[in-house]
């Protein structure tokens, strides 16, 4: 194995630190294989477990810390950027936000074991103004747990890893081609998933100007705000009269009289992903005139149209708002 991985064998802790740092910073580089091989190399040398562990933890803390600070400084714009550059569907931010609203910062203890969750969660905690000390505490514990498990698995599976690497060594240049093909296949599958998701998002939208004209004409549609509660806290305005809907709740339902009622749904997420998801649900229930608001609440505010302060989301206020609709 020493001959097969001279970089890791020679630079050891620094190679692990750099790999984990770049991975957590957002580079498409997997860190788990490095931890597994590094753990295997600690069984009989030349590396040492107590050198690799602090290196992995430090790299994770620095990478996650960058996203936390970016989220705290730039807010929702960072979340939008993450979903635009990610190979994961744009609903990643909403799902992550929902999980953090339910579990809070302790979710960092397991976030690194879920692909795509770690980077998004760090930035999200920044946008939610989670105290830096709380972020560091749970991120440190989660990073240590993640690194220990993978390094120990590498030690336990030393013989299997050694055999696999020797097979790759026998393949020579063909091993590089095989690894590249697997990487291309992985990216292709993820890209196809994203392409299918974007196709799902293709539906007729209503512009802020069109919605404003409807409201001014007196033929105001039912307007539904499907932002997460934490998103409303960061941006405590809504379109006047909008129904507040909590997508994370299994008990709330949007009750609207008449399948021909005009319905406009908005959120504050890239490509109006959440709004489209709710719109399609309503359409499957027989509502015919459902449209997401193009650009969401941000586009509405940017056009200078009126807003009102968001009241706290409770079952009572939600039922009252739906009754008025």
């Amino acid at each position: 194995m020493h001959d097969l991985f001279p970089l890791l064998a020679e630079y050891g802790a620094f190679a692990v630190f750099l790999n984990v740092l770049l991975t957590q910073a957002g580079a498409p580089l997997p860190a788990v294989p490095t931890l597994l091989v590094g753990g295997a190399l600690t069984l009989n040398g030349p590396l040492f477990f107590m050198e690799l562990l602090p290196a992995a933890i430090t790299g994770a803390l620095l990478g996650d810390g960058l996203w936390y600070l970016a989220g705290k400084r730039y807010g929702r714009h960072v979340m939008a950027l993450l979903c635009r550059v990610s190979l994961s569907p744009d609903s990643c931010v909403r799902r992550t936000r929902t999980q953090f609203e339910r579990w809070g910062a302790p979710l960092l203890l397991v976030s690194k074991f879920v692909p795509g969750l770690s980077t998004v969660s760090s930035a999200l905690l920044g946008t939610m103004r989670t105290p830096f000390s709380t972020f560091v505490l749970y991120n440190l514990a989660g990073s240590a747990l993640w690194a220990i498990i993978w390094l120990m698995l590498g030690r336990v599976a030393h013989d299997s890893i050694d055999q696999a690497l020797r097979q790759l060594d026998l393949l020579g240049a063909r091993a590089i081609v095989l690894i590249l093909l697997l990487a291309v296949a992985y990216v292709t599958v993820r890209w196809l998933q994203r392409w299918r998701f974007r196709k799902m998002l293709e539906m007729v939208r209503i512009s802020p100007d069109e919605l404003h004209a409807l409201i001014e004409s007196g033929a105001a549609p039912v307007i539904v705000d499907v932002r997460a509660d934490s998103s409303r806290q960061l941006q405590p305005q809504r379109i006047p009269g909008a129904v507040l809907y909590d997508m994370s709740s299994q008990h709330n339902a949007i009750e609207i009289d008449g399948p021909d009622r005009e319905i406009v749904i908005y959120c504050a997420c890239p490509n109006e992903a959440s709004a489209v998801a709710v719109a399609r649900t309503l359409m499957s229930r027989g509502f015919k005139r459902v449209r997401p608001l193009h650009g969401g609440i941000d586009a509405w505010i940017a056009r200078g149209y009126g807003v009102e302060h968001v009241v706290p989301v409770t079952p009572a206020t939600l039922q009252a708002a739906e009754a008025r609709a």
Side-chain angles (χ1 to χ4, degrees):
M1 265 192 297
H2 180 89
D3 295 330
L4 290 169
F5 282 81
L7 182 64
L8 183 58
E10 182 176 355
Y11 294 101
F14 178 74
V16 169
F17 163 78
L18 186 61
N19 189 181
V20 173
L21 172 61
L22 292 176
T23 299
Q24 295 306 118
L29 299 172
V32 170
T34 301
L35 293 176
L36 287 172
V37 175
L41 288 171
T42 64
L43 185 61
N44 299 315
L47 303 182
F48 299 95
F49 186 88
M50 293 311 297
E51 290 182 352
L52 298 188
L53 179 59
I57 294 173
T58 303
L61 286 176
L62 288 177
D64 293 338
L66 290 174
W67 283 112
Y68 171 88
L69 295 174
K72 189 171 183 178
R73 174 66 178 84
Y74 298 104
R76 292 175 296 103
H77 299 292
V78 170
M79 307 306 297
L81 173 65
L82 280 173
C83 269
R84 288 192 179 97
V85 301
S86 173
L87 290 176
S88 300
D90 294 7
S91 56
C92 62
V93 170
R94 175 178 57 79
R95 291 198 305 267
T96 305
R97 187 183 295 276
T98 298
Q99 292 300 319
F100 270 92
E101 287 179 356
R102 180 176 303 173
W103 302 107
L107 192 62
L108 285 174
L109 296 173
V110 297
S111 64
K112 285 183 174 56
F113 295 97
V114 182
L117 180 60
S118 180
T119 300
V120 175
S121 61
S122 298
L124 180 59
L125 284 179
T127 66
M128 297 171 67
R129 305 293 177 179
T130 300
F132 185 69
S133 58
T134 301
F135 165 76
V136 171
L137 175 64
Y138 284 105
N139 192 270
L140 175 62
S143 298
L145 179 64
W146 172 75
I148 288 173
I149 287 178
W150 288 116
L151 287 172
M152 289 304 299
L153 283 176
R155 285 176 65 94
V156 172
H158 171 273
D159 293 336
S160 298
I161 293 175
D162 182 57
Q163 184 178 1
L165 296 180
R166 291 186 185 281
Q167 289 296 323
L168 288 176
D169 190 39
L170 292 175
L171 290 175
R174 289 176 294 178
I176 299 177
V177 175
L178 176 62
I179 293 173
L180 289 176
L181 288 176
L182 290 175
V184 170
Y186 170 79
V187 173
T188 301
V189 170
R190 297 300 297 273
W191 183 86
L192 286 174
Q193 290 175 342
R194 186 174 180 84
W195 176 80
R196 290 178 58 189
F197 186 79
R198 288 186 176 275
K199 292 294 290 183
M200 186 273 291
L201 294 179
E202 292 182 357
M203 64 183 304
V204 178
R205 287 160 166 76
I206 184 172
S207 70
D209 294 335
E210 291 174 315
L211 176 57
H212 183 260
L214 281 175
I215 295 175
E216 290 296 305
S217 69
V222 176
I223 305 173
V224 184
D225 181 334
V226 298
R227 293 176 295 166
D229 190 31
S230 57
S231 180
R232 298 189 188 111
Q233 293 175 13
L234 293 172
Q235 191 178 36
Q237 299 89 25
R238 66 173 175 181
I239 298 175
V243 175
L244 304 181
Y245 178 67
D246 183 5
M247 294 182 64
S248 64
S249 174
Q250 301 296 323
H251 304 291
N252 293 332
I254 304 175
E255 299 298 336
I256 302 172
D257 56 325
D260 295 321
R261 189 74 183 272
E262 182 90 14
I263 306 171
V264 174
I265 304 173
Y266 71 87
C267 58
C269 46
N271 300 315
E272 301 84 53
S274 297
V276 171
V278 175
R280 289 194 176 277
T281 298
L282 289 175
M283 293 174 70
S284 68
R285 291 170 51 187
F287 293 96
K288 304 174 182 177
R289 304 170 63 191
V290 186
R291 288 183 289 175
L293 177 63
H294 183 64
I297 185 67
D298 293 323
W300 177 267
I301 294 176
R303 296 293 295 169
Y305 296 132
V307 293
E308 62 184 15
H309 192 79
V310 176
V311 296
V313 181
T314 65
T317 56
L318 181 62
Q319 291 173 6
E322 291 178 351
R324 289 195 299 272

